[in-house]
């Protein structure tokens, strides 16, 4: 625990951390450890709000040992691949263990520079002033549903994956899952195992599929080892490994990707970790189909011209960071709305403004947020 006698002048000018997910809690704990007062502001009523909204079968794709946040390991009883519910329990315990100063029900709408301070405009007309701000509002902030032509007139059931919880409502139904990231792949398998009569998976870009673990060696450790190697080298090695570890599914409608794994990571596309998708496709229980182009009445029109009539369409089409209202006026976002700096660095024009949790590295998001937290704390305590 920190020595509270070492607290500096931040009692009246705290560091505000926006968001009580893993990134925000980790940053606050690391700051507190260094004697810097950190106040966490969370718009919901509890920590880990985004995790509470995820589907029931979700597990971390990174190992328990490599997913702990600063100052508190994940309990061994959680197993190697930690479930959604246990992640929530861990975040609750983490905030309690570190005695974090957490204020819930407060949403920050805009951040502005005011001299050497930062002013936060928050719900209820609040204006909060602090010496620094850590933005940790989350990678999965606002569901993104493509504006497909004809979408609004579609009479069938259409939902974003953020609204999916479990397969029970879809037992006996024909379901089209759109998007083959980790979420879409896992929901497709969940539907099959939960009794859906037919499951098709609409794919725009063929994904790289990796085994979550091979002979006890987790894919995450490989991701950590190769992070700083040349992209072409990792692409070549990844291609060779895939041909050994992952069967060719071309005959089932899913060819091997024609671009390198690590090149894709640089574009923001993380490999799909296999949690049953390979076997489901080989068995014909999940059918890959072309990407969705539009809706025409009660039909879903695909890129190859085929038309489907599923009972339900589940769009696993990702999320937006939605940072523009908060910091878009500060010139700290790139053309895709992502922070231009993250971790322990601030932009020269915005000293004291930090971001964490807005990358999706193959080395594991929890691990990177833990590293970011220590870097931010070190920068602010110096």
């Amino acid at each position: 625990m920190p020595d509270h006698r070492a607290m500096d002048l931040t009692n009246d000018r705290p560091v505000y951390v926006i968001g009580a997910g893993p990134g925000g809690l980790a940053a606050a704990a690391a700051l507190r450890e260094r004697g810097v007062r950190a106040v966490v502001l969370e718009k919901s009523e509890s920590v880990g709000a985004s995790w509470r909204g995820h589907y029931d079968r979700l597990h971390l794709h990174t190992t328990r040992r490599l997913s702990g946040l600063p100052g508190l390991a994940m309990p061994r009883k959680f197993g190697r691949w930690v479930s959604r519910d246990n992640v929530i329990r861990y975040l609750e315990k983490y905030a309690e263990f570190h005695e974090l100063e957490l204020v819930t029900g407060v949403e920050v709408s805009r951040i502005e520079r005011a001299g050497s301070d930062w002013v936060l405009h928050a719900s209820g007309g609040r204006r909060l002033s602090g010496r620094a701000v850590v933005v940790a509002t989350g990678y999965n902030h606002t569901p993104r549903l493509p504006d497909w032509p004809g979408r609004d007139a579609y009479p069938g059931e259409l939902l974003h994956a953020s609204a999916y919880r479990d397969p029970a409502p879809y037992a006996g139904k024909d379901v089209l899952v759109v998007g083959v990231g980790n979420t879409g792949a896992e929901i497709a398998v969940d539907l099959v195992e939960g009794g859906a009569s037919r499951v098709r998976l609409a794919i725009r870009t063929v994904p790289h599929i990796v085994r979550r673990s091979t002979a006890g060696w987790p894919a995450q450790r490989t991701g950590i080892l190769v992070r700083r190697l040349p992209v072409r080298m990792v692409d070549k090695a990844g291609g060779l490994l895939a041909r050994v570890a992952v069967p060719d599914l071309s005959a089932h409608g899913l060819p091997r990707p024609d671009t390198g794994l690590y090149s894709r990571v640089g574009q923001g596309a993380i490999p799909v970790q296999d949690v049953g998708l390979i076997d489901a496709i080989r068995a014909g229980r999940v059918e890959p189909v072309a990407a969705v182009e539009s809706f025409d009445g009660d039909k879903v029109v695909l890129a190859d011209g085929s038309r489907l009539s599923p009972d339900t369409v589940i769009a696993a089409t990702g999320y937006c960071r939605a940072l523009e209202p908060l910091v878009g006026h500060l010139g700290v976002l790139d053309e895709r709305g992502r922070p231009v700096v993250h971790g322990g660095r601030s932009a020269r024009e915005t000293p004291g403004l930090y971001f964490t949790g807005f990358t999706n590295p193959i080395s594991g998001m929890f691990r990177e947020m833990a590293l970011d937290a220590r870097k931010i704390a070190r920068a602010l305590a110096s």
Side-chain angles (χ1 to χ4, degrees), residues 59 157 256 330:
H59 285 66
E157 182 181 19
R256 292 192 186 277
L330 298 172

Side-chain angles (χ1 to χ4, degrees), residues 272-343:
V272 172
Q273 292 206 12
D274 178 45
V275 290
L277 181 66
I278 293 174
D279 288 343
I281 289 177
R282 294 176 79 180
R285 301 178 73 194
V286 171
E287 306 167 50
V289 297
V292 171
E293 286 294 302
S294 63
F295 290 80
D296 183 10
D298 62 352
K299 303 292 185 182
V300 181
V301 183
L302 304 184
D304 62 2
S306 57
R307 302 161 76 87
L308 309 180
S309 300
D311 298 312
T312 301
V313 179
I314 300 175
T317 47
Y319 295 80
C320 301
R321 312 294 87 80
L323 289 168
E324 288 81 2
L326 189 67
V327 298
H329 56 288
L330 298 172
V332 293
L333 304 179
D334 65 14
E335 67 280 356
R336 294 171 61 185
R338 303 170 304 180
V340 295
V341 296
H342 68 274

Side-chain angles (χ1 to χ4, degrees), residues 69-381:
L69 301 177
L72 184 66
M74 288 188 171
R76 175 177 289 183
K77 66 181 180 182
F78 285 178
R80 193 181 198 194
W81 310 106
V82 182
S83 70
R84 182 204 65 176
D85 289 348
N86 280 334
V87 169
I88 294 168
R89 292 186 182 98
Y90 172 70
L91 296 178
E92 291 173 339
K93 180 64 177 178
Y94 191 84
E96 177 188 341
F97 177 82
H98 287 291
E99 299 179 346
L100 300 182
E101 194 171 344
L102 175 64
V103 184
T104 59
V106 175
E107 182 173 9
V108 179
S109 57
R110 186 178 174 89
I111 303 169
E112 293 179 335
R113 187 76 173 161
S116 60
D117 282 355
W118 287 94
V119 174
L120 289 68
H121 298 265
S123 52
R126 298 177 179 87
R127 286 173 58 90
L128 308 171
S129 180
R131 61 175 284 215
V133 179
V134 180
V135 180
T137 49
Y139 193 82
N140 296 335
H141 187 275
T142 301
R144 186 180 70 84
L145 189 62
D147 188 18
W148 289 297
R151 187 195 77 184
D152 293 340
Y154 178 63
E157 182 181 19
L158 169 63
L159 65 148
H160 189 270
S162 60
Y164 177 88
R165 292 295 174 270
D166 63 71
Y170 312 100
K173 291 188 176 183
D174 181 338
V175 185
L176 173 66
V177 180
V178 184
V180 70
N182 279 294
T183 296
E186 194 156 352
I187 287 177
V189 173
D190 201 32
L191 288 164
V192 164
E193 294 177 354
S197 64
R198 188 174 190 179
V199 178
R200 284 173 283 200
L201 187 57
I203 300 169
R204 184 170 299 279
T205 304
V206 177
H208 286 272
I209 302 176
V210 299
R211 300 288 189 182
R212 187 167 65 172
S213 180
T214 303
W217 177 267
Q220 181 189 7
R221 287 200 177 274
T222 302
I224 293 170
L225 291 174
V226 305
R227 276 205 73 186
R228 306 198 184 283
L229 293 178
V231 172
R232 290 180 62 183
M233 179 187 296
V234 180
D235 280 350
K236 185 173 182 179
L240 293 172
L241 180 62
R243 291 186 179 278
V244 173
V246 178
D248 186 356
L249 301 173
S250 299
H252 304 278
L254 190 65
R256 292 192 186 277
D258 57 6
T259 54
L261 183 152
Y262 207 30
S263 294
R264 285 272 192 87
V265 171
Q267 300 166 4
I270 297 301
V272 172
Q273 292 206 12
D274 178 45
V275 290
L277 181 66
I278 293 174
D279 288 343
I281 289 177
R282 294 176 79 180
R285 301 178 73 194
V286 171
E287 306 167 50
V289 297
V292 171
E293 286 294 302
S294 63
F295 290 80
D296 183 10
D298 62 352
K299 303 292 185 182
V300 181
V301 183
L302 304 184
D304 62 2
S306 57
R307 302 161 76 87
L308 309 180
S309 300
D311 298 312
T312 301
V313 179
I314 300 175
T317 47
Y319 295 80
C320 301
R321 312 294 87 80
L323 289 168
E324 288 81 2
L326 189 67
V327 298
H329 56 288
L330 298 172
V332 293
L333 304 179
D334 65 14
E335 67 280 356
R336 294 171 61 185
R338 303 170 304 180
V340 295
V341 296
H342 68 274
R345 295 185 297 129
S346 278
R348 186 172 60 181
E349 298 78 11
T350 54
L353 179 61
Y354 298 87
F355 295 88
T356 182
F358 295 100
T359 60
N360 194 13
I362 58 175
S363 51
M365 186 176 282
F366 270 57
R367 178 180 180 274
E368 292 303 316
M369 287 189 290
L371 296 173
D372 279 355
R374 295 187 174 98
K375 292 173 183 176
I376 291 168
R378 187 161 57 244
L380 283 171

